[in-house]
Amino acid sequence: MADMFSVVGKGILVTGAAGFLGRKLCTHLTSAGATVFAVDIDEGGLSELEIATLSHPGLLTPLAADLGEESARVDLVDQLSSLTVSLDGVVFAAA
């Protein structure tokens, strides 16, 4: 029953990843073994998030995008479709 809630090896997309809630989610998910695709408009915040997750190398992929723009959403889908990790969940933590 414990494996039912495991995120080890799961791909999770987190929007608003550089914000307070998104950052907490990303750090907890990577420490639990999830591969996190961190999306935010704040490139500096994404860089700080990368540093915060250095103890779990390879589990965080920062993706800078303004999801308010249709072209950015299309680009994000293109980026995600080229990755080798499946997307198992999405967390909308953006304001």
Side-chain angles (χ1 to χ4, degrees), residues 2-91:
D3 290 338
M4 187 167 89
F5 297 104
S6 175
V7 294
V8 173
K10 302 292 184 182
I12 310 293
L13 174 74
V14 179
T15 67
F20 178 77
L21 179 59
R23 181 183 173 108
K24 295 287 186 188
L25 286 166
C26 289
T27 55
H28 284 291
L29 286 167
T30 56
S31 68
T35 299
V36 176
F37 305 101
V39 181
D40 204 290
I41 193 172
D42 180 2
E43 292 183 40
L46 287 174
S47 294
E48 291 174 10
L49 181 57
E50 275 187 289
I51 292 167
T53 60
L54 282 176
S55 59
H56 307 288
L59 293 181
L60 183 89
T61 301
L63 302 165
D66 179 358
L67 297 180
E69 299 291 329
E70 182 179 359
S71 61
R73 293 189 301 269
V74 170
D75 289 343
L76 178 62
V77 169
D78 289 342
Q79 287 178 317
L80 292 172
S81 64
S82 69
L83 298 172
T84 58
V85 177
S86 66
L87 189 61
D88 300 294
V90 178
V91 177

